[in-house]
């Protein structure tokens, strides 16, 4: 006989899950930091006039984009300790599982970040750079004061969408034992011997829905604010 569905259990579970959002947010923040840093160099390579740099960056981006998140997560989790030990004789097996998740998702996010940076930079009219140099600005000043703000404004919608995708992909962290919001949900189900699974997953879905809507609204307001600033110049 099927067990009855208890809607009240959803609202009992949510408060148990919310504290673990701190772990989820920490993983997302670390992933974004790693992804943007590596993505900058990949984008620079893609924009380089040197063929070797362009090809290497393009190969890395395509390789990361073609790798499923769960595969990259397991490759890093099981492969990185072996590689570090083979090269440096350092045992990192006891390091926090969050470290492996951040590295794995950061590598994947770097490919998306690189393409966002490259396309946003190319979206800025070339005349902007030439006008800035003509006015007496150096190459660095032209990039920082003229090109970068415009490219950043163009990139905001894509960054917002990518962050939403990253937030959802981060739910895979529980597969390597990280206790984030998703991991806590699975622990609750295990502690109940498989009971209240549907209620728990609905509670998780509600949390992710709220987070997704919040991120979407924040980036929409951010984009609107930056666009107003551009119009006022």
């Amino acid at each position: 006989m099927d067990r009855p569905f208890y809607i009240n259990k959803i609202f009992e579970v949510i408060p148990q899950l919310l504290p673990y959002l701190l772990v989820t947010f920490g993983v997302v923040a670390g992933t974004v930091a790693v992804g943007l840093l590596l993505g900058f160099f990949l984008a620079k390579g893609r924009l380089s006039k040197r063929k070797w740099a362009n090809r290497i960056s393009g190969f890395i981006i395509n390789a990361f984009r073609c790798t499923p998140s769960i595969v990259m997560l397991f490759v890093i989790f099981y492969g990185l300790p072996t590689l570090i030990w083979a090269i440096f004789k350092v045992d990192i097996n006891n390091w926090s599982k969050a470290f492996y998740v951040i590295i794995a998702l950061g590598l994947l996010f770097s490919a998306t970040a690189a393409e966002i940076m490259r396309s946003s930079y190319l979206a800025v009219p070339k005349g902007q750079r030439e006008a800035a140099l003509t006015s007496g600005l150096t190459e660095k000043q032209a990039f920082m004061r003229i090109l970068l703000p415009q490219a950043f404004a163009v990139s905001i919608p894509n960054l917002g969408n990518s962050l939403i995708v990253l937030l959802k992909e981060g739910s895979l962290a529980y597969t390597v034992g990280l206790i984030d919001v998703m991991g806590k949900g699975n622990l609750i189900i295990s502690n109940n011997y498989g009971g209240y699974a549907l209620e728990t997953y609905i509670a998780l879905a509600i949390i992710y829905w709220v987070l997704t809507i919040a991120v979407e609204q924040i980036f929409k307001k951010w984009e609107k604010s930056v666009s107003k600033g551009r119009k006022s110049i």
Side-chain angles (χ1 to χ4, degrees):
M1 182 177 178
D2 293 336
R3 184 184 57 80
F5 175 78
Y6 296 102
I7 191 170
N8 291 337
K9 193 66 181 179
I10 297 172
F11 303 101
E12 292 178 12
V13 169
I14 288 177
Q16 299 177 48
L17 297 173
L18 291 180
Y20 292 86
L21 280 176
L22 293 176
V23 179
T24 298
F25 292 154
V27 168
V28 170
T31 299
V32 170
V34 172
L36 289 179
L37 179 62
L38 181 56
F40 173 79
F41 291 104
L42 290 174
K44 189 174 181 181
R46 289 284 284 139
L47 292 168
S48 176
K49 294 180 180 179
R50 298 184 179 91
K51 289 185 178 181
W52 64 267
N54 192 301
R55 289 175 179 175
I56 291 175
S57 297
F59 174 80
I60 294 173
I61 290 172
N62 287 330
F64 287 167
R65 292 177 70 180
C66 294
T67 305
S69 302
I70 191 70
V71 173
M72 179 66 82
L73 190 56
F74 286 149
V75 167
I76 295 299
F77 184 71
Y78 292 110
L80 189 59
T82 302
L83 180 64
I84 295 297
W85 176 258
I87 298 176
F88 303 105
K89 301 301 179 183
V90 175
D91 185 7
I92 65 171
N93 283 292
N94 294 324
W95 285 21
S96 171
K97 293 179 176 63
F99 168 77
Y100 299 102
V101 175
I102 288 172
I103 295 299
L105 296 183
L107 292 175
L108 296 177
F109 185 69
S110 68
T112 301
E115 287 301 288
I116 291 174
M117 292 179 191
R118 184 181 69 86
S119 61
S120 299
Y121 179 81
L122 294 176
V124 179
K126 293 182 179 180
Q128 296 284 337
R129 173 180 171 276
E130 296 171 357
L133 295 176
T134 302
S135 67
L137 296 178
T138 63
E139 191 76 46
K140 183 178 180 180
Q141 290 173 331
F143 176 76
M144 295 299 296
R145 297 182 185 181
I146 306 299
L147 302 180
L148 183 59
Q150 295 184 65
F152 179 71
V154 173
S155 72
I156 288 178
N158 288 328
L159 282 175
N161 292 332
S162 299
L163 187 59
I164 290 172
V165 172
L166 176 61
L167 184 65
K168 291 184 289 186
E169 286 188 341
S171 63
L172 294 172
Y174 83 93
T175 59
V176 295
L178 181 67
I179 308 302
D180 60 348
V181 66
M182 187 70 187
K184 179 60 178 178
N186 281 280
L187 277 179
I188 291 172
I189 295 171
S190 297
N191 291 336
N192 289 320
Y193 302 100
Y196 308 112
L198 178 58
E199 292 88 341
T200 302
Y201 285 128
I202 290 176
L204 286 165
I206 291 172
I207 291 173
Y208 278 104
W209 289 340
V210 172
L211 290 176
T212 298
I213 292 171
V215 170
E216 188 178 48
Q217 292 303 312
I218 289 170
F219 272 83
K220 279 184 178 179
K221 291 181 179 180
W222 196 5
E223 181 186 6
K224 187 176 181 181
S225 175
V226 171
S227 298
K228 285 182 179 179
R230 292 177 65 195
K231 290 177 182 178
S232 64
I233 295 176

